[in-house]
Amino acid sequence: MDTLLKAQSGRPSAVTKSIARRTTREDPNSGLQVDLGPAAILTQEDEERAAAHNREARMAAGAPTDPLRPEATLNLDDSDAAKDLWARVRQGFQLPPLEHELVGQHERYYASRPEYVQRMTARANRYLYHVVEEIERRGMPAELALLPFIESAFNPQATSSARASGIWQFMPATGKDFDLTQNIFRDERRDVLASTRAALDYLQRLHRMFGDWHLALAAYNWGEGNVQRAIKRNQSQGLPTDYLSINMPAETRHYVPKLHAVRNIVAQPEAYNLALTPIENHPYFVSVPIQRDMDVALAARLAALPLDEFKALNPSQNKPVILAAGTPQVLLPYDNAHLFVHNLSKHKGPLATWTAWLVPKTMRPADVAKELGMSESALREVNRIPPKMLVKAGSTLLVHRSEHRERDVSEALADNAMMALAPDVPPLRRMTLKAGKRDTVRTVAKRYGLSVEQVASWNKVGASARFKRGEQIVVYVPNKGKAQAARTLASAKKGRVVREAKASDKRKGRAGKTVASAVKASSKARAGQRSAKVRVASAR
């Protein structure tokens, strides 16, 4: 039975009005459930909305293409496509041999871990063809296609302790230098196409700079400035300046030998009793142009892919929605790409349930959630907002779509989205006080529960500075009202008086005794004064 039932007049029939619309429908070709809209009683408005969604779905994606040759027609029946990609890699080896004991050390390391090598080469199955194609197109040594084995074991989600990310392990600053977008919606350091382009651009620049691939690889790992300085030191001492001769950190010293060890294993895996996962000589993925915002989970379902597999091919996504303005294409296996386009054209539900919202003023997450009709926990989770933090004005938040927020996210917002947070603390009140005889930055900070750096900054002195007696000191304390501020100041002054009295007594050899006596006498005197006042009042 068709999902939408209509009377011949074009208006909903009585039967239509009384039947709840089915929420899913099985595609006869793929078996995929493609109608993902919520269940509802069908009305004329439902039909019009479904028709509109259907028109949007048909325009939401373009035809699949090879991302390197979008003008070419894909032919997976080509005889070359059935060849082993590893043989193609071997034919492109160009690096000069590196005779060093560290190469043998790393060969033995990999040979003793066949399961690890198997996992690495299996993971490379998705990406290696694209990397090899790019390298051959540029005329670069094929060994460079093996560099992601050293950097990340071909894991696009790999992140180092120094915040390097992706299969090529780009640092945030280097990624920006090579136009890799990094914002709250996506991180192109993890994007296979963008990061491969950037990594090969960088390696070519380093090779032009040093004229030697081994030195270029050392600079990729250690930084070009460090390699230049190491070369100059050797030149000044009349020493050779090749890779094995310059002084470098242990990590860089092992970096190129490790690559040569992988190269030798790929050249002759049987010599090391290892087996490489076979990789066919054709694209693992094709690109599908995305022209409308779309939920990641929906895209994976329409492509009939497990969510993990979809994310492995499109790892740059930071949020559960793909923004068409910032992500012009998704990568999918060939068969899944055509299934995706087919299913998308039949889809009748909304494409995206998330959108972006620009914060107009600094707000608490609870207030944002209330204004947008979301739960605070959902808002915090999807935007990764820690407890006790404010969202600053100009930040971009991912929020649920509604009837008032149906438009796709603009290119400007998709490319420049940022989020700034601030501690959710009471506003600060400026206080001035006079320094005691022994006041320092550290004692003032401790007295008011502040950091040494804050007190030093406010008073434009060093963290170890000592204040002169009577000198004016500036501090900022939480504004809890004038009465509370007065109590805080009085408490601080009282503490200072007692400390000074203790210090004085200690100098006179009467530590503690005089202070205790003074405090006790002061208390008795005040009590006596109150008692005298009472007696006088009684006499009157």
Side-chain angles (χ1 to χ4, degrees):
M1 185 175 78
D2 191 49
T3 304
L4 300 179
L5 298 175
K6 291 185 179 181
Q8 291 184 355
S9 63
R11 296 190 301 273
S13 67
V15 175
T16 300
K17 291 181 179 178
S18 64
I19 297 178
R21 187 174 64 183
R22 289 172 55 186
T23 59
T24 60
R25 183 183 64 188
E26 185 173 288
D27 174 37
N29 296 322
S30 66
L32 185 69
Q33 302 297 315
V34 295
D35 183 1
L36 307 179
I41 301 300
L42 191 65
T43 65
Q44 181 70 31
E45 184 180 350
D46 291 332
E47 293 180 350
E48 291 172 354
R49 187 181 296 112
H53 282 316
N54 196 252
R55 287 193 298 272
E56 289 179 4
R58 286 196 297 270
M59 297 185 297
T65 59
D66 182 343
L68 286 180
R69 293 186 300 273
E71 73 287 348
T73 302
L74 293 173
N75 179 15
L76 299 187
D77 294 327
D78 186 351
S79 58
D80 287 338
K83 292 181 180 178
D84 183 12
L85 184 62
W86 295 114
R88 182 178 171 187
V89 172
R90 295 180 193 110
Q91 291 171 0
F93 286 164
Q94 299 177 30
L95 290 184
L98 187 70
E99 302 296 336
H100 196 276
E101 60 182 8
L102 288 178
V103 176
Q105 177 180 322
H106 289 293
E107 288 174 346
R108 291 188 293 274
Y109 174 87
Y110 289 120
S112 65
R113 292 165 174 80
E115 298 85 1
Y116 177 58
V117 173
Q118 189 72 17
R119 285 198 306 274
M120 283 200 305
T121 55
R123 196 181 291 132
N125 181 48
R126 298 187 183 100
Y127 318 114
L128 189 60
Y129 176 88
H130 174 77
V131 176
V132 172
E133 281 276 302
E134 274 278 16
I135 284 174
E136 286 186 354
R137 188 169 64 85
R138 296 170 183 239
M140 300 169 74
E143 288 93 337
L144 301 180
L146 307 177
L147 201 58
F149 283 116
I150 312 304
E151 289 287 351
S152 63
F154 262 105
N155 179 7
Q157 300 289 357
T159 302
S160 75
S161 58
R163 296 197 303 141
S165 188
I167 64 172
W168 297 97
Q169 288 291 280
F170 268 99
M171 295 289 288
T174 312
K176 289 178 181 177
D177 288 343
F178 286 89
D179 300 322
L180 295 178
T181 299
Q182 300 161 64
N183 62 30
I184 65 171
F185 288 112
R186 71 188 193 278
D187 187 344
E188 287 187 339
R189 294 178 300 159
R190 299 196 303 264
D191 183 285
V192 177
L193 302 181
S195 66
T196 297
R197 182 268 307 161
L200 299 185
D201 284 349
Y202 189 22
L203 285 165
Q204 284 183 314
R205 189 179 85 179
L206 293 171
H207 183 253
R208 289 193 297 269
M209 184 180 296
F210 296 105
D212 178 275
W213 278 115
H214 288 164
L215 290 175
L217 287 164
Y220 187 88
N221 175 257
W222 188 26
E224 57 208 69
N226 291 323
V227 173
Q228 286 173 327
R229 285 187 286 274
I231 289 173
K232 287 180 180 178
R233 281 195 296 270
N234 277 28
Q235 287 174 335
S236 66
Q237 299 172 31
L239 299 174
T241 58
D242 60 287
Y243 172 79
L244 293 175
S245 299
I246 64 173
N247 190 26
M248 64 186 77
E251 179 185 331
T252 310
R253 173 67 61 195
H254 283 256
Y255 189 70
V256 175
K258 195 180 292 186
L259 178 64
H260 273 269
V262 173
R263 173 199 186 278
N264 294 343
I265 288 170
V266 170
Q268 290 183 300
E270 63 281 357
Y272 302 90
N273 293 318
L274 292 172
L276 305 180
T277 301
I279 302 178
E280 294 184 343
N281 186 33
H282 65 73
Y284 183 90
F285 55 77
V286 295
S287 64
V288 181
I290 293 295
Q291 292 148 5
R292 296 299 309 274
D293 293 357
M294 190 179 306
D295 286 353
V296 171
L298 173 62
R301 290 174 66 185
L302 293 175
L305 278 177
L307 187 58
D308 288 347
E309 175 68 12
F310 182 89
K311 289 181 175 180
L313 287 171
N314 301 277
S316 64
Q317 301 299 318
N318 288 334
K319 300 296 182 185
V321 64
I322 303 166
L323 303 183
T327 310
Q329 61 194 1
V330 294
L331 304 182
L332 298 169
Y334 182 85
D335 290 338
N336 299 84
H338 286 277
L339 187 60
F340 172 80
V341 173
H342 170 76
N343 285 333
L344 183 58
S345 69
K346 305 294 183 183
H347 178 64
K348 291 183 173 61
L351 296 174
T353 58
W354 298 95
T355 189
W357 185 69
L358 204 61
V359 181
K361 61 182 180 181
T362 299
M363 302 175 70
R364 288 187 171 87
D367 296 332
V368 175
K370 184 177 180 181
E371 180 169 332
L372 300 178
M374 292 179 64
S375 71
E376 183 182 352
S377 59
L379 181 75
R380 284 184 178 278
E381 182 180 1
V382 75
N383 291 285
R384 299 172 189 167
I385 304 174
K388 298 181 181 179
M389 298 298 284
L390 299 173
V391 183
K392 298 182 73 173
S395 296
T396 302
L397 295 178
L398 194 68
V399 302
H400 287 314
R401 282 202 181 206
S402 69
E403 294 178 359
H404 308 294
R405 293 185 296 273
E406 286 189 339
R407 298 180 63 180
D408 285 350
V409 177
S410 68
E411 184 176 355
L413 196 56
D415 286 338
N416 301 295
M418 53 77 66
M419 186 166 64
L421 301 174
D424 188 2
V425 296
L428 297 179
R429 180 172 180 269
R430 188 178 189 270
M431 293 178 58
T432 58
L433 54 142
K434 288 185 179 181
K437 189 174 181 180
R438 295 180 177 276
D439 271 338
T440 65
V441 170
R442 191 170 298 279
T443 61
V444 171
K446 184 177 180 181
R447 191 180 309 153
Y448 289 93
L450 304 166
S451 72
V452 171
E453 292 75 15
Q454 284 176 315
V455 175
S457 174
W458 293 332
N459 292 278
K460 299 180 180 179
V461 295
S464 59
R466 182 182 297 275
F467 295 111
K468 295 179 181 178
R469 186 168 188 172
E471 183 180 352
Q472 191 177 73
I473 304 174
V474 175
V475 295
Y476 289 84
V477 296
N479 187 10
K480 300 178 181 178
K482 292 183 179 180
Q484 178 65 33
R487 285 194 294 272
T488 301
L489 183 58
S491 176
K493 285 181 177 178
K494 181 180 177 181
R496 189 187 70 201
V497 169
V498 171
R499 282 191 296 275
E500 288 180 351
K502 283 182 178 180
S504 176
D505 287 345
K506 188 174 183 179
R507 288 195 303 274
K508 294 176 182 177
R510 302 192 304 275
K513 183 177 179 180
T514 304
V515 173
S517 299
V519 172
K520 187 175 181 180
S522 176
S523 298
K524 285 183 176 180
R526 286 195 299 272
Q529 289 172 359
R530 288 194 298 270
S531 178
K533 288 179 182 178
V534 170
R535 287 196 298 273
V536 170
S538 299
R540 289 177 182 170

